[in-house]
Amino acid sequence: MAKNVLVLLKVEFLPKFSVRGVWQRWRESYPTDGSKADDAITVFTGVSIILINIVHIYDISYGSFSWYLGLWI
């Protein structure tokens, strides 16, 4: 028996890709006080080179994250 499901989503496109811009947007979604913004990012998708660049900048700025993804960069 099929049921109707309503899914609301929002897609954001950056005018120009910026690793720091993506991290800033992500950090605004989840402040350090444990709260969550109403427009928080829940899924990020992009080509693999974008992910590698984002993880690389995170490693430089905040500490190692690449071990979690199994990346050795």
Side-chain angles (χ1 to χ4, degrees), residues 55-69:
V55 170
H56 181 67
I57 294 297
Y58 184 92
D59 285 346
I60 291 170
S61 302
Y62 307 110
S64 182
F65 181 71
S66 55
W67 64 268
Y68 179 76
L69 298 174

Side-chain angles (χ1 to χ4, degrees), residues 13-42:
F13 291 96
L14 298 175
K16 181 178 179 185
F17 177 73
S18 161
V19 171
R20 293 194 189 280
V22 170
W23 275 118
Q24 178 180 346
R25 177 68 178 93
W26 197 283
R27 293 184 70 187
E28 290 169 355
S29 294
Y30 300 94
T32 56
D33 64 2
S35 63
K36 178 180 162 187
D38 291 337
D39 64 345
I41 295 173
T42 55

Side-chain angles (χ1 to χ4, degrees), residues 38-49:
D38 291 337
D39 64 345
I41 295 173
T42 55
V43 175
F44 175 82
T45 184
V47 295
S48 58
I49 191 68

